[in-house]
Amino acid sequence: MSDWEPKIIAFFCNWCTYGAADLAGVSRLQYPPNIRVIRVPCSGRISTKFILSAFREGADGVWVSGCHPGDCHYIEGNYYARKKFLLFKNLMDHMGIEPGRLHFAWISSAESTKFQKIATEVCDSVKQAGPSIQFNKRAGLPAQAHLS
Amino acid sequence: MTLAEKRKLGSVLVVGAGVAGIQASLDMANSGFYVHLVDRSPSVGGIMAQLDKTFPTNDCAMCVISPFLVEVGRHLNIHVIPCSELERLDGEKGDFKATIVNHPRYIDTEKCTGCGQCRQVCPVVAINEFNCGLDLRKATYIPYPQAVPLAYAIDRNACIGCGMCEKVCLAGAVTYDDKTKITELEVGSVILAPGGEMYDPKEADSWSYSHPNVVTSLEFERILSASGPYRGHLMRPYDREEPEKIAWLQCVGSRDINRAKNSHCSSVCCMYAIKQTMIAKEHSAHELDTAIFYMDMRTYGKDFDKYYSRAKEERGVRFIRSRVHSIEPVENGNLRLRYVKESGESVEEIFNMVVLSVGFKPSSGVETIAKKLGLTLNEQHFFRTGDIRPVATSRDGVYVCGVSHGPKDIPQSVMEASAAASVATSDLSSARWSATRTPQLPPETDFSKMVPRIGVFVCNCGINIGGVADVPAIREYAKTLPHVVHVEDNLFTCSQDTQERMKQVIREKNINRVVVASCSPRTHEPLFQETIREAGLNKYLFEMANIRDQNTWVHKNNPDLATAKAKDLVRMAVAKAEYIEPLHQVKLDVKPAVLIVGGGVAGMEAALGAAEQGFQAYLVEKTDTLGGMAHQLRKTWQGEDIPAYLERLIKDVTNHSKIQIFLNTKPVHFTGTIGSFTTTLNDIHTGNPNGIIEHGAAILATGGREYRPEGYQYGNRPDVMTHLDLDQAMKDTPATVMNADTIVFIQCVGSRNSDRPYCSRVCCTHTLKNAIELKKIKPGMNIFVMYRDVRSYGFRESLYQEARALGVHFIRFDPENPPQMNIAENNILTITVTDHILQRPIVISPDLVVLAAAVLPNENKELFELFKVPVNAEGFLVEAHAKLRPVDFGSEGLFLAGLAHYPKSIDESIAQARAAVSRAVTIVSKDGIMVGGVVAAVNPDRCAVCCTCVRACPYGIPFIGNEGHAVIQQAECHGCGVCVSECPGKAITLQHFTDQQLIAKTRALFYQPAMNE
């Protein structure tokens, strides 16, 4: 278990958080290598279905991040995201998801240090939560069905 | 040669690549002109790129400007010429020859890939100018990470010539023997936007600026910035302690003829100081005490006053009306400020840090350029411009925009940039598209019905990727992925030779999807898309894996896990590539005409501008005359004659063959999309239709009016009048005014109150102008101005100085205690006001009271609903973006100008109208508009007409069509995908970001289908 590394799916909006992740790179800010980013135009594009399917496929954690309220490239797409994820988080809590698996944050494209900080926190808290079994459709299947 | 035979060139020169130069370049390049964009520095962006946030929305400056930087850098018709200056200009309007000096950069921008290896090995450090000297950079440097062009430069003053960078540069871009070169350009007109610089407090030793904890506002901007020297952590330079108490000192180097010799107001400092207090409070872990020491709080722009009250009332920023007379270093790096309160009480206060709100001065380039080109400067050494031709210089064919001809904020600079673009090209319209380049592309190959054949290109990026992750292992791994038919790794996938090779491989191996594993799609996707398009592939048949910026650069110490992550990212990209589809953009016809609603100065200037550019203009006015509010004005603030100008303008508009005027008319029906609108016009009195017009763009210039004051006996007495009444009286019956021995002006009547929490912007200037005129005619007249803040921004400050010198009395009042009017029994009128300096009420018996009444927008609820354009709480139209899109509406193809947007002076209205023309011409100058691509598409069979999309769309694009399902016009959709994830019936798809494609990525991370699956 000691060499277990979690896999975290991250959905980032193109204009803010994806830019912050790039800027963290340009600034060579180091953070744990557990995050796999899927780029979308706007956090408003992210549907709760993506989060559920990520857990179902085997993600140990999911991180959704977009522009700060008021900074949205598409005026107000991130307000929809915020509203939706507040509700969704409640639902996931109700369904008994372990704390520390699902994360939301708002990071602008200039905030590389904030990105580094939150990326590290997300990785740490998913590590704490351990491998995700509850929602994983392949949990318990023979090992070759997994990739790691 | 006769005038008609003179050559007109289709290319233009822009000097200065700050936000103004960028906007002017983009507008012109997007409307058919080839642009040479010259800047002294190694990259574009100017001062805005250095800012942390922008007022009054607190938007991140870099986030909003970087898409513009990228567009400039990639534009086929913009030739960015960094490290260069304009040396001389020969010839005349329409046919200039510009001589450009190209200073050596020592790195070939064509070859440099921006990988940064040279910087890593450079052993020398130098002062980092971009961070205002607060930290160091290498001698081989890039000013900031988002710089365009994304190429390094060598600072030869710091360079020791060790040759390290040359050795490690695998692209061979380092050229130590680079020399100064001279190039000549042929251009039809020139736009100067060399910008401004901040006043250097070292010039006077009054502010203890040599103390590390006394910083300029630009330095503080870098301190706040997340990409700045302290990574956004609020610290003071002296000991890197977090300050608990910061003072801002306004008017350092502006409004100061004693220490700085700069009489002008810098126009932006009040707002940026407020912004910095608010952002600093946000950055501070503990309660931060912020105090702004000021003379007048000049928050005169749109939503500025609300921002000011928010800072004061909600955020607890202290505003202290006082000029600090000494800043004295004390123990622990603190500073003691001594100042006198308005009450006369002398105060000493200790602060941890002091920010000097330094004013704008013209860039050093302004004086040089003026000398070389023979242009006139004003008293403050900025380019001189007039009011009626606000962007024209003293030389024909040479135009100006931005801070180089007066301090101003970003939206005003952007507005002027568009205005200059439109004026500079109106004489060149016959040469439109003559100098531009169009890409020559082969037809797209049809791959429908074919199984995916994916080619994967893995980039080493010199050693940026290959030096950390195991690129050969990634390459071999990619070969095992489904549908992959070709894999290779490259030293630089983005280099010219690899691009050529990629095209060849695509053709040879019949590749129909391309995956590049390299850097960020944000910077490089368009380049690769262009390449595959040149090989006959639809540009959307492309996917990227970001294995540098988001992998090897950030997991340097974890090479194994970085390799594993790169494999995952490649697998995910290949999985999405399997599902991506070619997307075809559709070309929609453009109607080469512009509709302008409103026949005031802004509307007429817009109509004339469009017509001069060669497009049909339809000018619609609801009354029976053209001219609007301007009929009631006499002179501009610089004293230019408005009635003469208005008469000329009306004549020009009326006689222009390309302008059709509709008086007594209103639009009643409006449909269509960008490039092709149809508007039905009705006679306002009879209701009969008087025209159906087709147009590619529309400009709303519906104007404003003067508030009719309630109170102060207005309307009951002839000796109480508004500004416009005074102008009328000065024109018709000057004796009624000149007979008065005492006149009181009361400012802010109807503005800056709870009903209208905005500043009407023009009234202070108007009062000053009239007071000066009256004093000059009748020096013995007593004139009292009762004000809250004198807002004579920019060079208008000279009016304030002149008025005071002439003996006009200024008495400040608090909004809680405004001047009281009393009418005695004998009908004698008196005004009582509490004087702040004397601390007691003063009673004045004026012969005339002039009320500076607010400027209101005209009410046009029906019209605005017809065009579906938003208005704010005060009834002013709302632009697409407060900073960078000040004349655009959120809906494409619609623009705004004049008082309908916000109160403004006539020169500002003219500039905004010309700017709207420039923006509209970027549409109507094209023969077609390409629409589609990454947009939402509705599946009618699944639509339940629940209207969720109609409500959710941030732009109000979806509607329920006659066929009974939601319709989303490709031409209007911005592609955010909000409707897609909101739609409960899953009836909407965002092309290129479909659920199937995104979920395939997720699945691929955990599961790999076998090759034959």
Side-chain angles (χ1 to χ4, degrees):
Chain A
M1 234 3 238
S2 60
D3 58 348
W4 173 75
E5 288 288 342
K7 278 195 181 174
I8 299 161
I9 289 262
F11 296 97
F12 291 164
C13 84
N14 177 56
W15 303 98
C16 291
T17 308
Y18 198 89
D22 281 351
L23 187 61
V26 173
S27 320
R28 308 294 197 276
L29 303 176
Q30 307 294 305
Y31 55 89
N34 305 101
I35 296 162
R36 310 287 182 264
V37 176
I38 295 179
R39 184 173 67 116
V40 290
C42 176
S43 52
R45 167 68 188 98
I46 303 161
S47 129
T48 50
K49 185 168 131 188
F50 298 168
I51 303 173
L52 286 169
S53 85
F55 281 122
R56 202 170 129 71
E57 296 293 342
D60 300 305
V62 174
W63 177 18
V64 171
S65 184
C67 307
H68 284 278
D71 265 5
C72 180
H73 185 80
Y74 304 100
I75 308 173
E76 53 186 25
N78 57 352
Y79 287 112
Y80 285 97
R82 189 169 67 165
K83 192 171 72 184
K84 190 157 54 192
F85 298 136
L86 274 175
L87 273 171
F88 182 69
K89 184 81 169 55
N90 284 342
L91 180 71
M92 291 300 279
D93 290 344
H94 181 70
M95 284 167 69
I97 192 172
E98 296 101 319
R101 288 218 190 278
L102 182 55
H103 297 263
F104 304 107
W106 312 105
I107 305 176
S108 88
S109 69
E111 292 175 326
S112 52
T113 33
K114 181 174 178 191
F115 179 84
Q116 178 196 30
K117 183 171 162 271
I118 295 183
T120 311
E121 285 169 9
V122 167
C123 292
D124 288 349
S125 78
V126 176
K127 250 183 200 163
Q128 285 273 303
S132 173
I133 293 158
Q134 192 182 8
F135 298 99
N136 186 344
K137 70 176 181 191
R138 273 187 289 274
L141 289 182
Q144 61 264 35
H146 296 268
L147 277 182
S148 54
Chain B
M1 268 202 303
T2 67
L3 209 70
E5 286 165 347
K6 268 190 187 155
R7 199 157 74 124
K8 299 271 193 219
L9 294 170
S11 55
V12 286
L13 173 67
V14 177
V15 180
V19 67
I22 286 173
Q23 180 66 40
S25 301
L26 285 173
D27 272 4
M28 293 190 290
N30 287 331
S31 53
F33 297 92
Y34 189 81
V35 180
H36 301 278
L37 175 59
V38 169
D39 198 280
R40 284 198 297 195
S41 70
S43 57
V44 304
I47 293 182
M48 186 174 174
Q50 284 179 282
L51 304 182
D52 174 42
K53 297 285 186 330
T54 58
F55 59 77
T57 49
N58 288 355
D59 271 353
C60 154
M62 188 50 80
C63 304
V64 293
I65 196 180
S66 66
F68 287 72
L69 301 179
V70 173
E71 194 182 347
V72 163
R74 297 202 45 80
H75 207 292
L76 197 60
N77 289 312
I78 298 178
H79 175 209
V80 178
I81 315 175
C83 299
S84 300
E85 288 176 272
L86 175 60
E87 181 58 31
R88 53 180 290 154
L89 187 69
D90 302 297
E92 56 186 87
K93 183 177 178 177
D95 189 1
F96 286 113
K97 192 172 81 187
T99 310
I100 309 290
V101 182
N102 311 108
H103 299 295
R105 181 190 188 106
Y106 306 105
I107 286 185
D108 185 345
T109 52
E110 296 294 312
K111 289 186 185 157
C112 177
T113 63
C115 79
Q117 208 53 48
C118 52
R119 182 193 59 186
Q120 303 275 330
V121 298
C122 178
V124 197
V125 288
I127 301 279
N128 185 356
E129 307 89 346
F130 189 76
N131 281 342
C132 300
L134 290 166
D135 64 354
L136 301 171
R137 59 157 169 80
K138 295 293 186 67
T140 308
Y141 73 107
I142 196 157
Y144 55 101
Q146 299 85 350
V148 168
L150 190 66
Y152 279 74
I154 298 178
D155 173 356
R156 283 308 286 266
N157 292 325
C159 174
I160 54 169
C162 67
M164 294 283 276
C165 53
E166 194 176 19
K167 277 199 201 82
V168 299
C169 181
L170 297 170
V174 176
T175 48
Y176 282 120
D177 56 352
D178 204 357
K179 299 256 171 351
T180 300
K181 289 190 267 298
I182 303 287
T183 36
E184 281 183 353
L185 301 170
E186 289 194 321
V187 293
S189 51
V190 178
I191 293 179
L192 302 174
E197 285 167 14
M198 306 320 291
Y199 171 75
D200 183 358
K202 278 204 276 301
E203 288 174 23
D205 57 356
S206 330
W207 295 282
S208 291
Y209 179 56
S210 53
H211 191 282
N213 288 342
V214 180
V215 299
T216 68
S217 43
L218 196 59
E219 289 164 4
F220 195 70
E221 204 72 40
R222 295 312 300 154
I223 290 176
L224 289 176
S225 171
S227 57
Y230 307 153
R231 302 256 158 239
H233 190 124
L234 178 57
M235 297 189 291
R236 57 182 200 172
Y238 173 70
D239 47 11
R240 308 288 161 103
E241 287 289 321
E242 293 174 7
E244 287 172 10
K245 217 173 154 187
I246 310 180
W248 275 257
L249 269 51
Q250 297 308 104
C251 302
V252 173
S254 53
R255 297 185 71 187
D256 181 350
I257 42 177
N258 300 319
R259 287 178 284 193
K261 317 252 177 312
N262 290 330
S263 58
H264 62 271
C265 159
S266 175
S267 302
V268 298
C269 321
C270 287
M271 278 304 283
Y272 76 55
I274 299 175
K275 171 195 76 182
Q276 292 186 342
T277 61
M278 297 223 249
I279 305 293
K281 277 174 180 282
E282 279 175 20
H283 281 231
S284 184
H286 43 75
E287 194 59 37
L288 180 72
D289 179 15
T290 57
I292 298 181
F293 293 88
Y294 70 103
M295 298 200 283
D296 294 281
M297 197 37 66
R298 294 188 168 169
T299 48
Y300 54 87
K302 195 172 189 176
D303 289 335
F304 289 6
D305 251 331
K306 285 185 218 164
Y307 194 72
Y308 173 30
S309 17
R310 216 160 71 220
K312 192 158 58 175
E313 279 140 34
E314 293 170 23
R315 313 300 287 275
V317 176
R318 290 193 287 146
F319 288 87
I320 302 164
R321 198 183 290 266
S322 173
R323 196 96 167 155
V324 171
H325 60 73
S326 77
I327 306 170
E328 185 194 336
V330 292
E331 63 285 356
N332 299 330
N334 294 333
L335 297 136
R336 180 189 292 131
L337 268 54
R338 286 206 177 89
Y339 59 94
V340 180
K341 279 188 172 172
E342 262 192 311
S343 58
E345 182 195 344
S346 185
V347 186
E348 277 188 17
E349 207 178 331
I350 307 279
F351 288 88
N352 303 133
M353 195 175 172
V354 172
V355 181
L356 305 177
S357 293
V358 286
F360 268 126
K361 60 177 191 177
S363 123
S364 61
V366 169
E367 194 149 6
T368 330
I369 293 171
K371 258 188 212 138
K372 285 174 182 164
L373 270 59
L375 306 176
T376 323
L377 297 180
N378 69 13
E379 293 75 16
Q380 281 82 18
H381 310 286
F382 290 80
F383 291 126
R384 180 183 293 285
T385 48
D387 294 330
I388 282 160
R389 299 180 66 223
V391 293
T393 66
S394 54
R395 182 162 170 188
D396 216 14
V398 180
Y399 307 89
V400 65
C401 58
V403 174
S404 61
H405 75 122
K408 56 182 65 77
D409 60 3
I410 293 164
Q412 198 66 35
S413 291
V414 169
M415 233 180 257
E416 279 182 1
S418 287
S422 114
V423 179
T425 53
S426 62
D427 278 319
L428 308 177
S429 61
S430 59
R432 193 189 301 280
W433 302 116
S434 68
T436 48
R437 296 188 284 175
T438 36
Q440 298 299 317
L441 298 171
E444 281 182 19
T445 323
D446 181 12
F447 292 108
S448 52
K449 311 268 187 293
M450 275 177 65
V451 290
R453 293 177 62 79
I454 302 174
V456 181
F457 296 79
V458 186
C459 183
N460 280 280
C461 193
I463 60 166
N464 282 287
I465 295 169
V468 177
D470 184 349
V471 169
I474 300 166
R475 180 192 65 211
E476 293 309 310
Y477 174 73
K479 288 182 183 166
T480 69
L481 296 171
H483 304 298
V484 171
V485 295
H486 173 83
V487 185
E488 65 177 61
D489 68 301
N490 318 109
L491 184 59
F492 291 108
T493 307
C494 62
S495 67
Q496 197 52 45
D497 55 326
T498 314
Q499 299 294 291
E500 289 306 317
R501 189 177 145 65
M502 190 185 281
K503 283 190 253 179
Q504 196 189 332
V505 172
I506 290 171
R507 288 195 205 97
E508 280 171 9
K509 298 205 171 173
N510 260 330
I511 288 170
N512 56 22
R513 309 279 194 282
V514 173
V515 170
V516 171
S518 61
C519 45
S520 172
R522 276 168 56 95
T523 51
H524 281 71
E525 190 176 45
L527 171 80
F528 295 123
Q529 285 186 320
E530 242 169 57
T531 305
I532 68 163
R533 179 63 194 84
E534 284 166 17
L537 250 60
N538 180 279
K539 71 170 188 175
Y540 291 101
L541 295 170
F542 178 78
E543 183 63 17
M544 258 179 115
N546 186 339
I547 62 167
R548 186 188 72 176
D549 304 42
Q550 298 184 12
N551 188 22
T552 54
W553 274 354
V554 291
H555 311 313
K556 270 197 290 200
N557 308 321
N558 240 331
D560 292 344
L561 289 176
T563 305
K565 176 169 169 180
K567 287 180 184 172
D568 284 351
L569 292 172
V570 170
R571 186 169 69 249
M572 290 163 77
V574 168
K576 180 178 170 186
E578 189 184 332
Y579 291 103
I580 48 181
E581 298 278 341
L583 299 179
H584 295 283
Q585 291 190 312
V586 186
K587 192 170 184 177
L588 296 183
D589 280 348
V590 167
K591 305 282 184 293
V594 183
L595 166 72
I596 296 108
V597 184
V601 160
M604 284 192 290
E605 283 281 350
L608 196 58
E612 283 171 356
Q613 289 270 356
F615 302 99
Q616 178 66 41
Y618 300 105
L619 180 59
V620 174
E621 163 60 35
K622 67 179 171 188
T623 70
D624 58 0
T625 44
L626 294 175
M629 285 284 286
H631 281 297
Q632 302 176 58
L633 303 174
R634 292 183 303 140
K635 277 179 183 161
T636 70
W637 81 266
Q638 296 192 75
E640 293 170 45
D641 185 341
I642 293 177
Y645 154 71
L646 193 60
E647 195 184 327
R648 203 168 59 237
L649 180 63
I650 293 174
K651 206 173 107 217
D652 289 349
V653 166
T654 315
N655 294 339
H656 204 293
S657 61
K658 288 244 174 205
I659 301 177
Q660 192 179 347
I661 301 168
F662 297 86
L663 296 176
N664 300 308
T665 300
K666 66 172 181 182
V668 289
H669 193 66
F670 171 75
T671 57
T673 57
I674 175 173
S676 178
F677 296 108
T678 307
T679 303
T680 310
L681 305 173
N682 270 14
D683 187 292
I684 214 153
H685 302 299
T686 64
N688 295 330
N690 54 5
I692 294 178
I693 57 166
E694 293 189 320
H695 53 101
I699 298 170
L700 302 189
T702 50
R705 60 194 170 90
E706 190 183 51
Y707 165 66
R708 310 312 288 164
E710 290 162 13
Y712 288 121
Q713 296 293 327
Y714 181 74
N716 299 332
R717 299 174 61 102
D719 53 356
V720 178
M721 47 175 72
T722 64
H723 268 158
L724 290 184
D725 299 334
L726 175 69
D727 273 8
Q728 197 66 36
M730 292 287 279
K731 214 156 44 173
D732 301 343
T733 51
T736 57
V737 182
M738 295 324 302
N739 285 342
D741 291 321
T742 302
I743 299 184
V744 166
F745 286 86
I746 302 177
Q747 299 302 107
C748 300
V749 175
S751 350
R752 299 185 67 192
N753 59 18
S754 52
D755 291 339
R756 277 170 295 275
Y758 63 87
C759 165
S760 290
R761 188 173 176 120
V762 295
C763 339
C764 282
T765 309
H766 204 117
T767 293
L768 294 169
K769 202 174 66 182
N770 278 314
I772 291 168
E773 186 178 347
L774 294 170
K775 266 288 194 191
K776 280 186 176 162
I777 301 172
K778 189 175 173 184
M781 190 185 273
N782 290 310
I783 299 179
F784 297 90
V785 176
M786 300 179 182
Y787 72 99
R788 289 173 56 188
D789 293 278
V790 176
R791 293 185 165 174
S792 48
Y793 56 96
F795 302 132
R796 290 161 172 84
E797 180 70 7
S798 64
L799 297 179
Y800 187 22
Q801 283 153 3
E802 189 180 355
R804 278 180 307 184
L806 288 169
V808 175
H809 305 284
F810 290 85
I811 304 171
R812 195 176 72 75
F813 67 87
D814 280 330
E816 301 76 40
N817 197 8
Q820 298 297 322
M821 184 182 278
N822 292 301
I823 313 288
E825 273 169 30
N826 55 6
N827 210 24
I828 298 290
L829 181 154
T830 56
I831 301 277
T832 309
V833 65
T834 303
D835 185 286
H836 265 267
I837 298 164
L838 302 176
Q839 298 273 313
R840 51 189 277 197
I842 299 176
V843 183
I844 298 163
S845 312
D847 304 305
L848 199 60
V849 176
V850 182
L851 307 176
V855 178
L856 312 183
N858 282 332
E859 280 160 32
N860 284 297
K861 195 167 173 287
E862 270 178 43
L863 185 79
F864 297 156
E865 279 173 7
L866 183 67
F867 285 90
K868 288 197 211 148
V869 292
V871 290
N872 69 9
E874 292 81 45
F876 292 106
L877 292 169
V878 180
E879 62 275 38
H881 189 272
K883 281 291 171 190
L884 293 186
R885 294 181 66 197
V887 296
D888 299 33
F889 279 113
S891 325
E892 303 246 32
L894 302 183
F895 306 93
L896 71 165
L899 294 182
H901 164 254
Y902 191 69
K904 54 178 65 75
S905 56
I906 199 160
D907 51 316
E908 292 165 339
S909 276
I910 295 171
Q912 198 180 14
R914 292 288 176 160
V917 170
S918 181
R919 304 292 304 136
V921 169
T922 62
I923 296 166
V924 296
S925 62
K926 298 200 171 76
D927 64 342
I929 296 261
M930 300 301 287
V931 301
V934 181
V935 292
V938 180
N939 175 355
D941 294 343
R942 303 195 72 153
C943 176
V945 203
C946 68
C947 295
T948 303
C949 55
V950 177
R951 286 188 297 268
C953 177
Y955 303 93
I957 307 298
F959 63 92
I960 305 302
N962 293 333
E963 297 78 13
H965 60 79
V967 178
I968 298 175
Q969 299 282 0
Q970 292 202 346
E972 296 188 29
C973 177
H974 289 61
C976 65
V978 167
C979 58
V980 181
S981 48
E982 291 294 307
C983 175
K986 295 282 160 221
I988 313 175
T989 322
L990 180 64
Q991 306 188 128
H992 206 60
F993 290 95
T994 65
D995 284 11
Q996 188 188 38
Q997 291 163 358
L998 297 176
I999 289 174
K1001 280 194 128 175
T1002 311
R1003 178 173 301 136
L1005 177 56
F1006 304 101
Y1007 182 68
Q1008 180 185 332
M1011 281 290 276
N1012 57 4
E1013 208 175 294

